Amino acid sequence: MTARLADIASQAGVSEATVSRVLNGKPGVAAATRESVLTALDLLGYERPPRLRQRSAGLVGLITPELENPIFPAFAQVISQALTRQGYTPVLATQTPGGSTEDELTEMLVDRGVAGVIYVSGLHADTTAGTQRYEKLRAQGVPFVLINGFSPAVRAPFVSPDDRAAMHLAVGHLASLGHERIGLALGPARFVPVQRKREGYLAAVDEHLGLTGGDAEELVEHSLYTLEGGQAAAGALLARGATAVVCASDMMALGAVRAARQAGLDVPRELSVVGFDDSPLIAFTDPPLTTVRQPVTAMGQAAVRALLEDVGGTPTPHTEFVFHPELVVRGSTASARTAHRRL
């Protein structure tokens, strides 16, 4: 039976335009008004559109950008375990090159009636991406939580590590070892975590080394969040005289180690390398990687708590839960004395 806007509007006590916005998943409708329209649909015997059907209490979507970087399976494991303990079934959806986009995966999950969605390092972290997709999801009544990458324009709870503090930990460690040319290898500049790491690094080298302005900027290199990206960035920083490199991910740090070896340099004797994440198995690389540990367990559990509170009817306000990272010192950092001999 085709729903007549006039009938539904009369039953719900709202305008036909409001009914149309609800049925088409448009933003700008109060939650109470939206529920009145859906109740009117039910009372009049009309079938709800698939996207507006009752959320399944058992399924929660989890969207990650990829699984090749071991930090994302680590988040997936923590979040899945936390959901399972609360009686929910996680549905993992992963983007692939040339495959499904975040928007397509979201639509697929919503059509399957998930109770909510958790995004890890999604488009919310990209300052060049629009936020309309999240407003649309909210208008559809689907709770969601976002990990890694805050946006003031998205009304939802965010969970993040303290990226600025991470850079203070890494730079402070290397400065204490006598390094004065400490480079920073980052991902693309459009991402919020990258911008925050850059800010933290610039403040830290000013505090510990007195480097400011162009002297500090010269030691910042943007690349891709991959092993090859880290290799390229580290190669550029080595050419500028860096004796140590702080990387925005462990994968990039492994690329920095490769760049050093291709240049005939020993890690850590001639180049110190610090990663970020403390991904699984990173303690067993050659050499074992000094890194800043992202508190994955605490962050994943917090994301699940915030989501399920929203599912249960007590939504968390638009806020950011920030977790302090931890420096883990292993074998990829050492005194700068030997490194200085090659300059």
Side-chain angles (χ1 to χ4, degrees):
M1 178 171 23
T2 302
R4 290 183 54 194
L5 294 184
D7 294 342
I8 301 168
S10 176
Q11 179 69 36
V14 300
S15 68
E16 291 184 32
T18 298
V19 173
S20 178
R21 294 184 72 82
V22 171
L23 295 181
N24 289 291
K26 301 292 185 181
V29 181
T33 303
R34 180 181 175 282
E35 284 304 314
S36 296
V37 172
L38 295 180
T39 300
L41 271 177
D42 296 338
L43 290 173
L44 293 171
Y46 293 127
E47 184 177 349
R48 296 188 184 191
R51 69 172 71 90
L52 299 178
R53 290 171 189 165
Q54 184 66 37
R55 303 288 104 208
S56 168
L59 303 178
V60 169
L62 170 60
I63 298 180
T64 64
E66 42 119 336
L67 292 176
E68 291 183 1
N69 186 330
I71 195 62
F72 296 124
F75 266 114
Q77 182 175 11
V78 168
I79 292 168
S80 296
Q81 289 175 342
L83 288 169
T84 300
R85 284 195 294 269
Q86 296 299 320
Y88 288 82
T89 300
V91 180
L92 177 61
T94 304
Q95 301 173 56
T96 55
S100 298
T101 65
E102 179 180 308
D103 291 339
E104 290 168 342
L105 293 175
T106 299
E107 183 177 357
M108 181 250 324
L109 291 169
V110 171
D111 285 347
R112 282 158 177 74
V114 293
V117 182
I118 297 175
Y119 295 87
V120 181
S121 300
L123 289 172
H124 62 278
D126 187 340
T127 58
T128 65
T131 60
Q132 305 91 330
R133 57 183 49 85
Y134 302 112
E135 290 303 316
K136 177 182 177 182
L137 193 60
R138 179 164 296 282
Q140 291 172 323
V142 182
F144 58 96
V145 176
L146 305 127
I147 297 177
N148 276 339
F150 178 76
S151 171
V154 180
R155 296 175 296 156
F158 289 80
V159 177
S160 306
D162 191 333
D163 290 297
R164 298 182 185 92
M167 295 300 99
H168 277 273
L169 289 171
V171 170
H173 168 63
L174 293 167
S176 72
L177 293 172
H179 291 277
E180 298 175 355
R181 300 284 293 174
I182 301 171
L184 176 63
L186 290 168
R190 67 182 185 273
F191 294 110
V192 172
V194 170
Q195 296 170 3
R196 290 177 168 182
K197 286 183 175 73
R198 182 189 182 100
E199 292 168 4
Y201 165 83
L202 293 175
V205 294
D206 182 12
E207 175 186 340
H208 291 284
L209 304 174
L211 282 180
T212 58
D215 291 336
E217 295 284 354
E218 179 191 15
L219 290 170
V220 177
E221 186 71 17
H222 290 276
S223 187
L224 299 177
Y225 268 121
T226 61
L227 190 148
E228 292 78 13
Q231 181 178 350
L237 293 168
L238 281 169
R240 296 170 203 159
T243 64
V245 177
V246 179
C247 298
S249 75
D250 290 338
M251 293 294 284
M252 294 188 79
L254 295 180
V257 172
R258 178 192 281 181
R261 288 179 174 161
Q262 287 193 344
L265 303 176
D266 179 79
V267 177
R269 197 165 54 86
E270 295 173 284
L271 179 72
S272 287
V273 177
V274 179
F276 179 82
D277 282 335
D278 197 27
S279 312
L281 302 180
I282 214 66
F284 306 101
T285 57
D286 179 24
L289 188 65
T290 294
T291 189
V292 180
R293 177 178 293 157
Q294 188 172 182
V296 171
T297 299
M299 290 171 61
Q301 292 174 347
V304 170
R305 283 196 300 271
L307 182 75
L308 296 188
E309 286 177 3
D310 199 342
V311 170
T314 55
T316 303
H318 178 207
T319 189
E320 182 178 25
F321 301 99
V322 180
F323 290 78
H324 198 75
E326 175 188 357
L327 178 69
V328 182
V329 179
R330 298 192 180 103
S332 65
T333 52
S335 168
R337 290 193 301 271
T338 308
H340 282 306
R341 293 192 193 124
R342 66 176 171 83
L343 298 180

